[in-house]
Structure formats: structure tokens, C-alpha cells
Amino acid sequence: LGGGTLLGVGIWVTVDGQSFLNIFGTISSSILQVVNVSYFLIVIGSILLVIGFLGCYGAQKESKCLLMMFFSVVLIIFIAEIAAAVVALVYTGFAETLLTAVVTPLLKEKYGVDKSLTHIWNVTMREVHCCGLNNYTDFTDSYWLEQHKTYPEPCWILCPSVWGIDSPCSSSPVCCLLQGCFSQILEEIKTNAGVVGGVAAGIAALEIAAMTVSMYLYCHLDQK
């Protein structure tokens, strides 16, 4: 049911995003990204729908094959989540290098050209209070800088006049540029580590419970 709901919402937003915005647009500025979020919802909804079908139909029909498929899919997702968490914790520097190699060229070439990408980055930079992935130099030699002769508006913030006109940010004594989004996001995660950990633990508990129940049913069918 959850997967079907997400899939339905994703299709709705893709087909008629404007009506979705008219209803939910005032809830959060982030909702303006629905054009891109819709595809994410469709993918996640489809996956959850398939997994849910395997579990429910397998239990209803007492199909050992479907129950084992359900167990295997959930186990693979569970292992992938643990692996992703370990990589994120241990190889933060590597992740930053990898993201820099992929994201920075996109910012230089597509920011200001691709409306969708530009909007996503503008919302992200405003909400997180950051500029670029690493810092404002991600926009150096970019299409945006060449066309507008300045860095994107979300990058600017009022600063004490002690910066002076020799600030690397601009010729204005009261403005400077925010730090990169990667470090800001890491800081936000650290600040809300308890909430992030609680959500992750809840998801892990649900997955373990799903695997336990499916394996119990699988073994119970053997006893029958």
C-alpha cells in the first residue's frame, strides 16, 4: 500500500505537477523540486510495491519460492544500507573526492543552463546556507560566472565590515560567500545525529522483522 501510494503520487506529479504545486506548494520551499522528486517517488514506489507483493502474496499462497525471494531482496537491501553507512563513515574523504569529480563539472557546465538542476541547487544552497559543493570556487570558470560576472545569489551572506574590500568574495565590504554544501550537510548530520540514527535504527528494525517473519513462515511451511 505504501509503495502504491508513492508510485501514484510520483505519476501524478509527473503528469500534472502544477496541480500538485497548487495544493502542496505552500507547505515547504523544497516541494518546488517535485519535477525531479517525482521520478524518485516512482522508482522507490515501484520497488516497495514489488517487495510488498512478494511478501504478502507469498504468505497468502504459502509459496516458499516467493517468501524466499522476499527474504533475499530485503536482505540485499539491508546489507547495501549497512555497506553504504560504513563507507559514508569511514571514507568521508573519498566520498567528497568522488562527488567533487562528478558534481563540480556539472555546476560549471549546467548551472544556469539546465533549469531543473539550477533550481535544485538554488533551493539546496538557500536551505542549507551553502555555496557549491566544496565552496564558491566550484563556480569559477563556469557558464554562470561568465554570463553574469558574479556568483549565484544564494551564495551571498551579509558579513561584518571587518572583511573589508580585500575580501576574496566581492568588492563589497559587507558581503562574503558561504562555505561549501558538503561540509554544511556533514555538520547538519552531526548536529541531528540522534534523529538520523533513530530513523536508521527504525528502518533496520522493520527490515529485520520482515526477514524474521518471512523466514518463520518459510520454515513453518516445511513443518506443515
Side-chain angles (χ1 to χ4, degrees), residues 90-110:
V90 177
Y91 298 103
T92 303
F94 174 75
E96 182 176 7
T97 302
L98 182 62
L99 285 173
T100 299
V102 174
V103 175
T104 302
L106 281 177
L107 285 176
K108 292 182 182 295
E109 298 172 10
K110 299 296 184 181

Side-chain angles (χ1 to χ4, degrees), residues 127-173:
E127 294 294 325
V128 184
H129 304 294
C130 58
C131 179
L133 181 68
N134 298 298
N135 51 52
Y136 70 94
T137 59
D138 288 345
F139 293 101
T140 302
D141 300 324
S142 66
Y143 170 85
W144 178 271
L145 194 61
E146 290 177 358
Q147 294 295 315
H148 300 274
K149 310 303 179 184
T150 184
Y151 293 98
E153 180 270 331
C155 289
W156 298 98
I157 185 174
L158 291 177
C159 292
S161 58
V162 293
W163 279 89
I165 60 174
D166 294 328
S167 165
C169 305
S170 74
S171 59
S172 172

Side-chain angles (χ1 to χ4, degrees), residues 5-24 34 38 41-42:
T5 301
L6 290 178
L7 180 61
V9 172
I11 294 174
W12 172 28
V13 174
T14 302
V15 174
D16 189 15
Q18 188 56 49
S19 66
F20 186 89
L21 280 176
N22 292 338
I23 297 174
F24 298 104
V34 291
S38 62
L41 291 178
I42 289 174

Side-chain angles (χ1 to χ4, degrees), residues 154-218:
C155 289
W156 298 98
I157 185 174
L158 291 177
C159 292
S161 58
V162 293
W163 279 89
I165 60 174
D166 294 328
S167 165
C169 305
S170 74
S171 59
S172 172
V174 293
C175 292
C176 68
L177 290 163
L178 295 164
Q179 60 182 322
C181 292
F182 188 82
S183 58
Q184 285 290 85
I185 291 173
L186 284 181
E187 189 62 33
E188 288 289 332
I189 292 175
K190 291 177 182 177
T191 302
N192 300 282
V195 176
V196 175
V199 172
I203 294 173
L206 286 174
E207 291 171 341
I208 292 172
M211 289 188 290
T212 302
V213 171
S214 62
M215 187 51 61
Y216 171 81
L217 291 174
Y218 181 88

